[in-house]
Amino acid sequence: MARDDEDSRWPRRLYQDGAEPDPRFTLANERTFLAWIRTALALMAGGVGIEALNAVSGHPDPLRTALAVLLLLAGTLCSATAFTRWMITERALRLGRPLPAPRLAPVLGYGLGVIGLLACVLVFLTGW
């Protein structure tokens, strides 16, 4: 068991500074993290699904493969940055600083817009 002056939570560098924020804010931050993870899983599942369609079609389509890769990369980016975002927000809560601006949301929003355009091209040009 940890002593009172020693915090055994991970990541230690987060919990060594500042004061405990209101638990509601910490829990809201965790829910947001989990929402980004769900988004990442959905993007990756979409990429795998599109590539599965590509595999069963009999003739692989490079545009379909590109779309699948873009979705998988978007899911990977989303999952890789979700924890960092959680930690930066939690640190801001602990130190009483303003919350950071969302960096991933615009990238993901515009990126998915491009992926959507590619999907439209795929549907209209190849008849999917």
Side-chain angles (χ1 to χ4, degrees), residues 79-124:
S79 65
T81 58
F83 180 75
T84 303
R85 171 73 181 174
W86 170 82
M87 197 164 71
I88 290 170
T89 302
E90 192 66 23
R91 179 171 284 130
L93 290 171
R94 294 181 66 79
L95 297 175
R97 294 184 180 156
L99 296 179
R103 293 184 196 152
L104 181 60
V107 171
L108 197 58
Y110 288 122
L112 289 177
V114 169
I115 292 170
L117 287 174
L118 281 174
C120 287
V121 168
L122 184 66
V123 168
F124 291 120

